[in-house]
Amino acid sequence: MNATVNTVTKQTLKYKVMTDNIKIDGDDNSDSRHILKHFSEEHRATVKHLYEKSRQARPKQEHIGTDEVETALSKVRQRLNLKDDSQPGAGSSTGHAMDWKWMVAAASVLIILSAGFLFYPKTIEVPYGETMTIEMSDGSEVELNSGSKLQYSRLFPLINREVGLNGEAYFRVQEGSQPFIVRANNSIVKVTGTRFNVRSWQEESGTETEVTVTDGSVQFYPEKKESQSVAIGPGQISRWAKNLKMPTSPDSVSLDHVLGWRNQSFAFSKKPLEVILLEMERRFDVTITLEAKEYRSEKVTIHYVNPKDAEVILKDICRVKGLRYSASSEGFRIYE
Amino acid sequence: MNNPTNNQIKKWVAEISESQQEAFGMLFRALYPQLVQFSLRYTRNKAVASDITQDAFVTIWRKRREMKQIDSPKAYLYRIVRNRSLNYIRDHSSRIMGLEAMKEPKVEMSDLENNEQADQQLQLLKQWIGELPDRRREAFELSRFEGLDHDEIAEVMEISPNTVNNHIVAALDHLNERHSEYRNEANSKVQGYD
């Protein structure tokens, strides 16, 4: 009898402690706020606790190990006729029984295959939160902003000096007999030896391509329309998007703003809020959800020298625009 | 538990839609285990749950060109797995299987006493969640166990976000009620013996 009493008391105490320990700023997302509104003040704390605690009430899980996942992946790949990367060096040698004709045949297949490989472009992708500088084999240098992707032939610069860009990069191009060409979102920047910045994100609405030149000059034109070419000189910027017949006529620009990303500063003048938020996501590797959707195209001008995190910037933007923000499980959310 | 962010998933799916096989591998490795677990809660059969989940990924690759337009690829995968799991239960039902069987067995007070180590509140919570009507419990579990937001749950269950919200509120209402009953009971027991 006594034992029962003790247990029950203990349970009650445990409960008390638990309900007192509610973290109000836990995993606060818009859903949970919305839900809690349905409950009266006196119940809110308990409901929130039950809501959060429920996560752990998931029934016992079966163990699924890496081996099992890899086997399953191989199966799926086989069904789809995709190449399998899980067994490096697959295939076994068949010994010495092959006669020389076969050897020649095998060798020629190999040569053809590796030639194919050479034409398969090389892709460099910069992780969120980092920048990267690449030295090309012609001596040119490409500085890539966070999240950017650069593609070029493995034969660069033998056949041509062409690179593909999705993102933002600063190019220091070595003079050469062949023109250096940047392809970005159906536009082309053609140069000989010069320094310039290209900003062209496929993900951003309108997918505008912006070219800013620091030294020398470049030709900028929509794909297959070299006749619409615009020449951009030092300190000038030009933009092109699919709805434009030709790039905008070159305009002078503050190079500090455009090239700020190279020195960890963060600057934009009169850019839509959503563009700035995307840039913050890439730079600081966070997720920012704009719940106040009407503010998407609100123009914002900011300039920070080496901001320590996304919140510093977010705080100011919200204050100026009369918005609020809070931390969410993945990053931040912005609301009215 | 390295759960990929929705952003990461979207990025992979964008690459998959351009037929990039590496991204397909990454998406598979990241989501396969949790989808098998999810299907298991319906099918209760590991081989079946694995097959269903693999089929879902085959579908994703075959439809990769349309994937770019999909708002939440994660919700899309969950929806395929859920539908196929429900079909499986429907076709192989012996009434004991499936949703009915997903419910946690009732926890008796004596069990709790026998197992002091176990988190008693958690045991009770499991029981109370098991008492919810099927659809409500599904919505609640997708939110709590799978970490989906209300829009995603709406897509998985093919209902409106508003209905999802109502389900979750009603579920919490039930848990809250059971919780206060339980507390009163425990208190009165203590007082009774005092």
Side-chain angles (χ1 to χ4, degrees), chain A residues 5 10-12 15 18 31 34-35 43 46 49 51 53-54 57-58 61-62 68 70 72-73 79 83 85 125 281, chain B residues 7 11 21 28-29 32 37 46 54-55 116 119-121 125-126 140 144-145 149-150 165 172 176 179 182 187 193:
Chain A
V5 178
K10 220 187 269 168
Q11 259 169 248
T12 323
Y15 243 109
M18 282 176 158
D31 288 340
H34 206 67
I35 292 163
H43 286 297
T46 316
H49 170 66
Y51 183 70
K53 187 86 184 169
S54 296
R58 188 207 279 255
Q61 306 242 334
E62 283 220 27
E68 195 181 331
E70 291 304 322
L73 179 55
R79 281 170 65 183
K83 66 172 189 277
D85 63 8
E125 200 173 347
E281 289 192 335
Chain B
N7 258 12
K11 212 161 156 236
Q21 302 188 15
F28 189 94
R29 291 185 179 104
Y32 180 78
Q37 307 281 13
K46 181 81 171 282
Q54 288 168 27
D55 284 349
E116 283 199 10
D119 186 343
Q120 289 134 348
Q121 193 189 11
L125 251 182
K126 285 183 185 176
F140 190 73
R144 301 293 79 206
F145 300 172
D149 68 29
H150 289 192
N165 200 59
L172 282 169
N176 187 31
H179 172 256
Y182 165 78
N187 280 336
Y193 284 106

Short mmCIF file of all heavy atoms in Angstrom, two decimals, chain A residues 5 10-12 15 18 31 34-35 43 46 49 51 53-54 57-58 61-62 68 70 72-73 79 83 85 125 281, chain B residues 7 11 21 28-29 32 37 46 54-55 116 119-121 125-126 140 144-145 149-150 165 172 176 179 182 187 193:
data_model
loop_
_atom_site.label_atom_id
_atom_site.label_comp_id
_atom_site.label_asym_id
_atom_site.label_seq_id
_atom_site.Cartn_x
_atom_site.Cartn_y
_atom_site.Cartn_z
N VAL A 5 1.33 4.58 -2.81
CA VAL A 5 1.20 6.00 -2.47
C VAL A 5 2.44 6.77 -2.90
O VAL A 5 2.37 7.80 -3.55
CB VAL A 5 0.96 6.17 -0.95
CG1 VAL A 5 0.88 7.65 -0.62
CG2 VAL A 5 -0.31 5.46 -0.55
N LYS A 10 5.27 10.66 -6.38
CA LYS A 10 6.44 10.96 -7.20
C LYS A 10 6.00 11.43 -8.60
O LYS A 10 6.49 12.39 -9.13
CB LYS A 10 7.29 9.70 -7.34
CG LYS A 10 8.78 10.02 -7.26
CD LYS A 10 9.58 8.79 -7.57
CE LYS A 10 9.91 8.01 -6.31
NZ LYS A 10 10.44 6.67 -6.62
N GLN A 11 5.03 10.68 -9.14
CA GLN A 11 4.54 11.04 -10.47
C GLN A 11 4.01 12.47 -10.48
O GLN A 11 4.28 13.22 -11.39
CB GLN A 11 3.39 10.12 -10.85
CG GLN A 11 3.82 9.05 -11.79
CD GLN A 11 2.73 8.03 -11.92
OE1 GLN A 11 2.91 6.91 -11.47
NE2 GLN A 11 1.62 8.40 -12.47
N THR A 12 3.25 12.79 -9.48
CA THR A 12 2.65 14.11 -9.43
C THR A 12 3.74 15.17 -9.37
O THR A 12 3.68 16.19 -10.05
CB THR A 12 1.74 14.25 -8.18
OG1 THR A 12 1.11 13.00 -8.00
CG2 THR A 12 0.76 15.36 -8.37
N TYR A 15 5.47 15.65 -12.67
CA TYR A 15 4.63 16.44 -13.55
C TYR A 15 4.77 17.91 -13.27
O TYR A 15 4.90 18.73 -14.14
CB TYR A 15 3.17 16.04 -13.32
CG TYR A 15 2.60 15.46 -14.54
CD1 TYR A 15 2.32 14.11 -14.60
CD2 TYR A 15 2.40 16.25 -15.66
CE1 TYR A 15 1.84 13.56 -15.74
CE2 TYR A 15 1.92 15.70 -16.80
CZ TYR A 15 1.63 14.35 -16.86
OH TYR A 15 1.16 13.81 -17.99
N MET A 18 7.92 19.33 -14.51
CA MET A 18 7.91 19.42 -15.97
C MET A 18 7.09 20.59 -16.48
O MET A 18 7.52 21.32 -17.36
CB MET A 18 7.33 18.15 -16.56
CG MET A 18 8.35 17.04 -16.56
SD MET A 18 7.57 15.59 -17.16
CE MET A 18 8.99 14.70 -17.67
N ASP A 31 2.98 27.94 -36.87
CA ASP A 31 1.94 26.96 -36.63
C ASP A 31 1.59 26.89 -35.16
O ASP A 31 0.42 26.91 -34.79
CB ASP A 31 2.40 25.57 -37.11
CG ASP A 31 2.43 25.47 -38.62
OD1 ASP A 31 1.75 26.29 -39.27
OD2 ASP A 31 3.10 24.57 -39.13
N HIS A 34 -0.27 29.81 -33.84
CA HIS A 34 -1.62 29.79 -34.36
C HIS A 34 -2.48 28.84 -33.54
O HIS A 34 -3.63 29.14 -33.20
CB HIS A 34 -1.54 29.32 -35.81
CG HIS A 34 -2.67 29.80 -36.63
ND1 HIS A 34 -2.84 31.12 -36.94
CD2 HIS A 34 -3.71 29.13 -37.19
CE1 HIS A 34 -3.93 31.24 -37.66
NE2 HIS A 34 -4.48 30.06 -37.83
N ILE A 35 -1.92 27.69 -33.22
CA ILE A 35 -2.66 26.68 -32.46
C ILE A 35 -2.98 27.19 -31.07
O ILE A 35 -4.10 27.08 -30.58
CB ILE A 35 -1.81 25.40 -32.33
CG1 ILE A 35 -1.65 24.74 -33.69
CG2 ILE A 35 -2.44 24.43 -31.35
CD1 ILE A 35 -0.53 23.75 -33.73
N HIS A 43 -4.75 27.37 -19.93
CA HIS A 43 -4.34 26.07 -20.47
C HIS A 43 -3.10 26.16 -21.35
O HIS A 43 -2.47 25.16 -21.64
CB HIS A 43 -5.47 25.46 -21.29
CG HIS A 43 -6.59 24.93 -20.45
ND1 HIS A 43 -6.43 23.92 -19.56
CD2 HIS A 43 -7.89 25.32 -20.33
CE1 HIS A 43 -7.57 23.67 -18.94
NE2 HIS A 43 -8.47 24.53 -19.39
N THR A 46 0.27 24.39 -20.49
CA THR A 46 0.20 22.92 -20.50
C THR A 46 0.11 22.40 -21.92
O THR A 46 0.80 21.45 -22.30
CB THR A 46 -1.06 22.44 -19.73
OG1 THR A 46 -1.16 23.19 -18.54
CG2 THR A 46 -0.96 20.97 -19.42
N HIS A 49 3.32 22.56 -23.65
CA HIS A 49 4.20 21.49 -23.16
C HIS A 49 3.85 20.16 -23.80
O HIS A 49 4.73 19.44 -24.27
CB HIS A 49 4.08 21.41 -21.64
CG HIS A 49 4.75 20.21 -21.06
ND1 HIS A 49 6.11 20.04 -21.11
CD2 HIS A 49 4.25 19.10 -20.47
CE1 HIS A 49 6.42 18.88 -20.55
NE2 HIS A 49 5.30 18.29 -20.17
N TYR A 51 2.33 19.68 -26.57
CA TYR A 51 2.65 19.79 -28.00
C TYR A 51 4.12 19.46 -28.24
O TYR A 51 4.47 18.69 -29.12
CB TYR A 51 2.34 21.22 -28.44
CG TYR A 51 2.55 21.52 -29.91
CD1 TYR A 51 1.72 20.98 -30.89
CD2 TYR A 51 3.55 22.40 -30.32
CE1 TYR A 51 1.89 21.29 -32.22
CE2 TYR A 51 3.72 22.72 -31.65
CZ TYR A 51 2.89 22.15 -32.59
OH TYR A 51 3.07 22.47 -33.92
N LYS A 53 6.25 17.95 -26.05
CA LYS A 53 6.60 16.62 -25.53
C LYS A 53 6.17 15.51 -26.49
O LYS A 53 6.81 14.47 -26.57
CB LYS A 53 5.92 16.45 -24.17
CG LYS A 53 6.32 15.20 -23.44
CD LYS A 53 7.56 15.42 -22.62
CE LYS A 53 7.99 14.11 -21.97
NZ LYS A 53 9.32 14.21 -21.38
N SER A 54 5.09 15.76 -27.23
CA SER A 54 4.55 14.74 -28.14
C SER A 54 5.58 14.27 -29.16
O SER A 54 5.52 13.15 -29.65
CB SER A 54 3.34 15.27 -28.90
OG SER A 54 2.31 15.54 -28.04
N ALA A 57 6.98 11.11 -28.37
CA ALA A 57 6.07 9.99 -28.17
C ALA A 57 6.02 9.08 -29.38
O ALA A 57 5.17 8.22 -29.48
CB ALA A 57 4.66 10.51 -27.84
N ARG A 58 6.91 9.28 -30.32
CA ARG A 58 6.98 8.44 -31.52
C ARG A 58 7.26 7.00 -31.10
O ARG A 58 8.09 6.77 -30.22
CB ARG A 58 8.15 8.97 -32.36
CG ARG A 58 8.28 8.36 -33.71
CD ARG A 58 9.71 8.43 -34.11
NE ARG A 58 10.11 9.74 -34.64
CZ ARG A 58 10.30 9.97 -35.92
NH1 ARG A 58 10.08 9.03 -36.80
NH2 ARG A 58 10.72 11.13 -36.32
N GLN A 61 11.47 2.86 -33.06
CA GLN A 61 11.83 2.80 -34.47
C GLN A 61 12.68 1.58 -34.74
O GLN A 61 13.48 1.17 -33.92
CB GLN A 61 12.66 4.04 -34.82
CG GLN A 61 11.98 5.29 -34.46
CD GLN A 61 11.72 6.13 -35.68
OE1 GLN A 61 12.41 6.03 -36.67
NE2 GLN A 61 10.72 6.96 -35.60
N GLU A 62 12.52 1.05 -35.94
CA GLU A 62 13.42 -0.02 -36.35
C GLU A 62 14.72 0.62 -36.79
O GLU A 62 14.72 1.70 -37.37
CB GLU A 62 12.83 -0.76 -37.53
CG GLU A 62 11.74 -1.69 -37.09
CD GLU A 62 11.79 -3.00 -37.84
OE1 GLU A 62 12.89 -3.39 -38.30
OE2 GLU A 62 10.74 -3.61 -37.95
N GLU A 68 22.01 -0.76 -45.16
CA GLU A 68 20.67 -1.01 -45.68
C GLU A 68 20.27 0.09 -46.66
O GLU A 68 19.71 -0.18 -47.73
CB GLU A 68 19.69 -1.06 -44.51
CG GLU A 68 18.37 -1.65 -44.90
CD GLU A 68 17.39 -1.68 -43.74
OE1 GLU A 68 17.83 -1.77 -42.57
OE2 GLU A 68 16.19 -1.57 -44.01
N GLU A 70 22.30 1.99 -48.42
CA GLU A 70 23.09 1.88 -49.64
C GLU A 70 22.57 0.75 -50.54
O GLU A 70 22.52 0.91 -51.76
CB GLU A 70 24.57 1.63 -49.32
CG GLU A 70 25.28 2.83 -48.68
CD GLU A 70 25.19 4.11 -49.52
OE1 GLU A 70 25.27 4.02 -50.77
OE2 GLU A 70 25.03 5.19 -48.94
N ALA A 72 19.52 -0.35 -50.66
CA ALA A 72 18.25 0.11 -51.23
C ALA A 72 18.51 1.09 -52.38
O ALA A 72 17.87 1.01 -53.43
CB ALA A 72 17.41 0.78 -50.15
N LEU A 73 19.49 1.97 -52.18
CA LEU A 73 19.82 2.95 -53.22
C LEU A 73 20.32 2.24 -54.49
O LEU A 73 19.93 2.60 -55.61
CB LEU A 73 20.86 3.95 -52.69
CG LEU A 73 21.34 5.04 -53.65
CD1 LEU A 73 20.19 5.84 -54.23
CD2 LEU A 73 22.31 5.98 -52.93
N ARG A 79 17.05 -0.20 -61.06
CA ARG A 79 15.73 -0.13 -61.71
C ARG A 79 15.69 1.03 -62.69
O ARG A 79 14.97 0.98 -63.68
CB ARG A 79 14.66 0.06 -60.65
CG ARG A 79 14.31 -1.23 -59.94
CD ARG A 79 13.43 -1.01 -58.75
NE ARG A 79 12.11 -0.49 -59.10
CZ ARG A 79 11.20 -0.16 -58.20
NH1 ARG A 79 11.46 -0.28 -56.92
NH2 ARG A 79 10.03 0.30 -58.56
N LYS A 83 23.88 5.15 -62.84
CA LYS A 83 25.19 4.65 -62.43
C LYS A 83 25.26 4.56 -60.91
O LYS A 83 24.58 5.29 -60.21
CB LYS A 83 26.31 5.52 -62.99
CG LYS A 83 26.36 6.94 -62.46
CD LYS A 83 27.63 7.62 -62.97
CE LYS A 83 27.86 8.95 -62.31
NZ LYS A 83 27.17 10.08 -62.85
N ASP A 85 27.39 4.70 -57.51
CA ASP A 85 28.67 5.20 -56.97
C ASP A 85 29.04 4.52 -55.67
O ASP A 85 30.01 4.86 -55.03
CB ASP A 85 28.63 6.72 -56.79
CG ASP A 85 27.58 7.14 -55.77
OD1 ASP A 85 27.01 6.24 -55.11
OD2 ASP A 85 27.35 8.34 -55.63
N GLU A 125 31.07 24.06 -56.95
CA GLU A 125 29.95 24.64 -56.24
C GLU A 125 30.42 25.09 -54.87
O GLU A 125 31.03 24.32 -54.13
CB GLU A 125 28.86 23.59 -56.11
CG GLU A 125 27.52 24.20 -55.84
CD GLU A 125 26.40 23.17 -55.89
OE1 GLU A 125 26.64 22.04 -56.36
OE2 GLU A 125 25.31 23.51 -55.44
N GLU A 281 20.65 34.22 -46.90
CA GLU A 281 20.60 32.77 -46.71
C GLU A 281 21.90 32.11 -47.18
O GLU A 281 22.44 31.26 -46.51
CB GLU A 281 19.43 32.16 -47.48
CG GLU A 281 18.09 32.50 -46.89
CD GLU A 281 16.97 31.65 -47.49
OE1 GLU A 281 17.11 31.17 -48.63
OE2 GLU A 281 15.96 31.47 -46.82
N ASN B 7 15.41 23.91 -47.62
CA ASN B 7 16.20 24.57 -48.65
C ASN B 7 17.13 23.61 -49.34
O ASN B 7 17.26 23.60 -50.56
CB ASN B 7 17.07 25.66 -48.00
CG ASN B 7 16.46 27.02 -48.22
OD1 ASN B 7 15.31 27.12 -48.66
ND2 ASN B 7 17.22 28.06 -47.94
N LYS B 11 17.14 22.34 -53.23
CA LYS B 11 18.32 22.45 -54.06
C LYS B 11 18.61 21.12 -54.75
O LYS B 11 18.87 21.07 -55.95
CB LYS B 11 19.50 22.84 -53.17
CG LYS B 11 20.50 23.69 -53.89
CD LYS B 11 21.38 24.44 -52.92
CE LYS B 11 22.66 24.80 -53.60
NZ LYS B 11 23.85 24.30 -52.89
N GLN B 21 22.60 12.90 -61.08
CA GLN B 21 22.42 11.67 -60.30
C GLN B 21 22.99 11.76 -58.89
O GLN B 21 22.50 11.09 -57.99
CB GLN B 21 23.07 10.51 -61.05
CG GLN B 21 22.49 10.34 -62.43
CD GLN B 21 22.98 9.08 -63.10
OE1 GLN B 21 23.53 8.19 -62.46
NE2 GLN B 21 22.76 8.98 -64.40
N PHE B 28 18.16 10.61 -51.51
CA PHE B 28 17.79 9.26 -51.09
C PHE B 28 18.36 8.96 -49.71
O PHE B 28 17.64 8.57 -48.79
CB PHE B 28 18.30 8.24 -52.11
CG PHE B 28 17.80 6.84 -51.87
CD1 PHE B 28 16.68 6.39 -52.53
CD2 PHE B 28 18.45 5.98 -50.99
CE1 PHE B 28 16.21 5.10 -52.32
CE2 PHE B 28 17.99 4.71 -50.76
CZ PHE B 28 16.86 4.25 -51.44
N ARG B 29 19.65 9.21 -49.56
CA ARG B 29 20.31 8.90 -48.29
C ARG B 29 19.70 9.70 -47.15
O ARG B 29 19.58 9.24 -46.03
CB ARG B 29 21.80 9.17 -48.37
CG ARG B 29 22.52 8.18 -49.28
CD ARG B 29 24.02 8.38 -49.27
NE ARG B 29 24.66 7.40 -50.13
CZ ARG B 29 25.15 7.71 -51.34
NH1 ARG B 29 25.09 8.96 -51.79
NH2 ARG B 29 25.69 6.78 -52.08
N TYR B 32 15.45 8.46 -47.05
CA TYR B 32 14.99 7.07 -47.10
C TYR B 32 14.65 6.51 -45.71
O TYR B 32 13.54 6.01 -45.51
CB TYR B 32 16.03 6.19 -47.81
CG TYR B 32 15.67 4.72 -47.91
CD1 TYR B 32 14.76 4.28 -48.86
CD2 TYR B 32 16.24 3.78 -47.05
CE1 TYR B 32 14.42 2.94 -48.96
CE2 TYR B 32 15.91 2.44 -47.14
CZ TYR B 32 15.00 2.01 -48.10
OH TYR B 32 14.68 0.69 -48.18
N GLN B 37 10.46 4.38 -41.96
CA GLN B 37 9.85 4.37 -40.62
C GLN B 37 8.40 4.81 -40.70
O GLN B 37 7.52 4.25 -40.04
CB GLN B 37 10.58 5.35 -39.68
CG GLN B 37 12.06 5.17 -39.60
CD GLN B 37 12.46 4.04 -38.69
OE1 GLN B 37 11.61 3.23 -38.30
NE2 GLN B 37 13.73 3.96 -38.35
N LYS B 46 8.49 -4.52 -42.62
CA LYS B 46 9.70 -3.84 -43.08
C LYS B 46 9.92 -4.00 -44.57
O LYS B 46 10.24 -3.03 -45.26
CB LYS B 46 10.90 -4.41 -42.30
CG LYS B 46 12.24 -3.81 -42.63
CD LYS B 46 12.45 -2.50 -41.89
CE LYS B 46 13.87 -1.98 -42.04
NZ LYS B 46 14.84 -2.66 -41.19
N GLN B 54 11.12 2.72 -51.84
CA GLN B 54 11.95 2.68 -53.05
C GLN B 54 11.15 3.05 -54.28
O GLN B 54 11.61 3.79 -55.14
CB GLN B 54 12.59 1.29 -53.20
CG GLN B 54 13.70 1.06 -52.16
CD GLN B 54 14.13 -0.39 -52.10
OE1 GLN B 54 14.03 -1.14 -53.07
NE2 GLN B 54 14.62 -0.82 -50.93
N ASP B 55 9.91 2.55 -54.34
CA ASP B 55 9.02 2.91 -55.46
C ASP B 55 8.84 4.43 -55.54
O ASP B 55 8.84 5.02 -56.62
CB ASP B 55 7.63 2.29 -55.28
CG ASP B 55 7.65 0.80 -55.61
OD1 ASP B 55 8.66 0.35 -56.17
OD2 ASP B 55 6.66 0.12 -55.29
N GLU B 116 9.75 2.01 -13.33
CA GLU B 116 9.91 3.38 -12.86
C GLU B 116 10.85 4.17 -13.76
O GLU B 116 10.79 5.39 -13.81
CB GLU B 116 10.42 3.38 -11.43
CG GLU B 116 9.32 3.08 -10.45
CD GLU B 116 9.68 3.51 -9.04
OE1 GLU B 116 10.70 4.20 -8.87
OE2 GLU B 116 8.94 3.15 -8.13
N ASP B 119 9.83 6.92 -18.82
CA ASP B 119 9.24 8.24 -18.66
C ASP B 119 7.73 8.05 -18.70
O ASP B 119 7.14 7.81 -19.74
CB ASP B 119 9.70 9.15 -19.79
CG ASP B 119 9.22 10.57 -19.59
OD1 ASP B 119 8.29 10.79 -18.79
OD2 ASP B 119 9.77 11.46 -20.24
N GLN B 120 7.12 8.13 -17.51
CA GLN B 120 5.70 7.80 -17.42
C GLN B 120 4.84 8.75 -18.22
O GLN B 120 3.87 8.36 -18.85
CB GLN B 120 5.27 7.83 -15.94
CG GLN B 120 5.84 6.67 -15.18
CD GLN B 120 6.43 7.09 -13.85
OE1 GLN B 120 6.61 8.29 -13.60
NE2 GLN B 120 6.72 6.14 -13.01
N GLN B 121 5.22 9.98 -18.22
CA GLN B 121 4.41 10.93 -18.95
C GLN B 121 4.40 10.59 -20.44
O GLN B 121 3.37 10.68 -21.11
CB GLN B 121 4.97 12.34 -18.76
CG GLN B 121 3.99 13.38 -19.24
CD GLN B 121 4.61 14.75 -19.27
OE1 GLN B 121 5.81 14.91 -19.13
NE2 GLN B 121 3.78 15.76 -19.44
N LEU B 125 1.30 9.82 -22.79
CA LEU B 125 1.11 10.61 -24.01
C LEU B 125 0.88 9.68 -25.20
O LEU B 125 -0.01 9.89 -26.01
CB LEU B 125 2.34 11.46 -24.28
CG LEU B 125 2.22 12.96 -24.07
CD1 LEU B 125 3.52 13.64 -24.41
CD2 LEU B 125 1.09 13.54 -24.89
N LYS B 126 1.69 8.64 -25.30
CA LYS B 126 1.55 7.69 -26.40
C LYS B 126 0.15 7.10 -26.40
O LYS B 126 -0.49 6.97 -27.43
CB LYS B 126 2.58 6.56 -26.28
CG LYS B 126 3.97 6.97 -26.66
CD LYS B 126 4.92 5.79 -26.60
CE LYS B 126 6.34 6.24 -26.87
NZ LYS B 126 7.32 5.15 -26.72
N PHE B 140 -1.70 14.85 -36.55
CA PHE B 140 -0.91 15.17 -35.36
C PHE B 140 0.47 14.51 -35.44
O PHE B 140 1.49 15.12 -35.14
CB PHE B 140 -1.67 14.72 -34.11
CG PHE B 140 -1.05 15.21 -32.83
CD1 PHE B 140 -1.15 16.54 -32.46
CD2 PHE B 140 -0.37 14.33 -31.99
CE1 PHE B 140 -0.58 17.00 -31.28
CE2 PHE B 140 0.20 14.78 -30.81
CZ PHE B 140 0.10 16.12 -30.46
N ARG B 144 4.12 16.16 -35.32
CA ARG B 144 5.01 15.93 -34.18
C ARG B 144 6.14 14.95 -34.47
O ARG B 144 7.26 15.16 -34.08
CB ARG B 144 4.19 15.46 -32.96
CG ARG B 144 3.13 16.40 -32.50
CD ARG B 144 3.67 17.67 -31.93
NE ARG B 144 4.08 18.61 -32.96
CZ ARG B 144 4.99 19.53 -32.78
NH1 ARG B 144 5.63 19.64 -31.66
NH2 ARG B 144 5.28 20.36 -33.75
N PHE B 145 5.81 13.85 -35.14
CA PHE B 145 6.84 12.83 -35.35
C PHE B 145 7.68 13.13 -36.59
O PHE B 145 8.86 12.83 -36.64
CB PHE B 145 6.23 11.43 -35.51
CG PHE B 145 5.42 10.95 -34.33
CD1 PHE B 145 4.69 9.78 -34.41
CD2 PHE B 145 5.41 11.65 -33.13
CE1 PHE B 145 3.96 9.32 -33.34
CE2 PHE B 145 4.67 11.20 -32.05
CZ PHE B 145 3.93 10.03 -32.15
N ASP B 149 5.27 20.99 -41.48
CA ASP B 149 4.42 22.11 -41.08
C ASP B 149 3.02 21.92 -41.65
O ASP B 149 2.76 20.98 -42.40
CB ASP B 149 5.06 23.46 -41.46
CG ASP B 149 5.13 23.68 -42.96
OD1 ASP B 149 4.25 23.15 -43.68
OD2 ASP B 149 6.04 24.38 -43.41
N HIS B 150 2.13 22.81 -41.28
CA HIS B 150 0.72 22.57 -41.61
C HIS B 150 0.46 22.54 -43.12
O HIS B 150 -0.37 21.76 -43.59
CB HIS B 150 -0.17 23.61 -40.92
CG HIS B 150 -0.23 23.38 -39.44
ND1 HIS B 150 -1.13 24.01 -38.62
CD2 HIS B 150 0.51 22.58 -38.63
CE1 HIS B 150 -0.94 23.60 -37.36
NE2 HIS B 150 0.06 22.75 -37.36
N ASN B 165 -5.10 22.42 -39.30
CA ASN B 165 -5.06 23.21 -38.08
C ASN B 165 -6.14 22.73 -37.09
O ASN B 165 -5.87 22.54 -35.91
CB ASN B 165 -5.27 24.68 -38.44
CG ASN B 165 -4.79 25.59 -37.36
OD1 ASN B 165 -3.63 25.56 -37.00
ND2 ASN B 165 -5.70 26.37 -36.80
N LEU B 172 -4.83 18.38 -29.55
CA LEU B 172 -4.25 18.96 -28.33
C LEU B 172 -5.31 19.13 -27.26
O LEU B 172 -5.05 18.97 -26.06
CB LEU B 172 -3.58 20.29 -28.65
CG LEU B 172 -2.21 20.17 -29.30
CD1 LEU B 172 -1.74 21.50 -29.82
CD2 LEU B 172 -1.21 19.61 -28.30
N ASN B 176 -4.96 17.57 -23.65
CA ASN B 176 -5.07 18.47 -22.50
C ASN B 176 -6.12 17.96 -21.52
O ASN B 176 -5.93 17.95 -20.31
CB ASN B 176 -5.42 19.88 -23.00
CG ASN B 176 -5.40 20.90 -21.88
OD1 ASN B 176 -4.62 20.76 -20.94
ND2 ASN B 176 -6.26 21.89 -21.97
N HIS B 179 -4.90 14.89 -19.83
CA HIS B 179 -3.84 15.28 -18.91
C HIS B 179 -4.43 15.82 -17.61
O HIS B 179 -3.99 15.46 -16.52
CB HIS B 179 -2.94 16.32 -19.60
CG HIS B 179 -1.94 16.95 -18.70
ND1 HIS B 179 -2.08 18.22 -18.20
CD2 HIS B 179 -0.79 16.47 -18.19
CE1 HIS B 179 -1.04 18.50 -17.43
NE2 HIS B 179 -0.24 17.46 -17.41
N TYR B 182 -6.01 13.07 -15.60
CA TYR B 182 -4.98 12.26 -14.99
C TYR B 182 -4.41 12.95 -13.76
O TYR B 182 -4.19 12.34 -12.72
CB TYR B 182 -3.87 11.99 -16.02
CG TYR B 182 -2.60 11.48 -15.41
CD1 TYR B 182 -2.48 10.16 -15.02
CD2 TYR B 182 -1.52 12.35 -15.21
CE1 TYR B 182 -1.33 9.70 -14.44
CE2 TYR B 182 -0.36 11.88 -14.62
CZ TYR B 182 -0.26 10.55 -14.25
OH TYR B 182 0.88 10.10 -13.69
N ASN B 187 -3.87 13.44 -7.93
CA ASN B 187 -3.97 14.28 -6.74
C ASN B 187 -4.93 13.68 -5.72
O ASN B 187 -4.62 13.60 -4.54
CB ASN B 187 -4.45 15.68 -7.10
CG ASN B 187 -3.29 16.51 -7.64
OD1 ASN B 187 -2.14 16.22 -7.34
ND2 ASN B 187 -3.62 17.50 -8.45
N TYR B 193 -5.03 8.94 0.56
CA TYR B 193 -4.17 8.15 1.45
C TYR B 193 -3.58 8.98 2.56
O TYR B 193 -3.01 8.46 3.49
CB TYR B 193 -3.06 7.48 0.66
CG TYR B 193 -3.55 6.29 -0.13
CD1 TYR B 193 -3.70 6.35 -1.50
CD2 TYR B 193 -3.87 5.11 0.54
CE1 TYR B 193 -4.16 5.27 -2.21
CE2 TYR B 193 -4.33 4.03 -0.17
CZ TYR B 193 -4.47 4.10 -1.54
OH TYR B 193 -4.92 3.02 -2.24
#
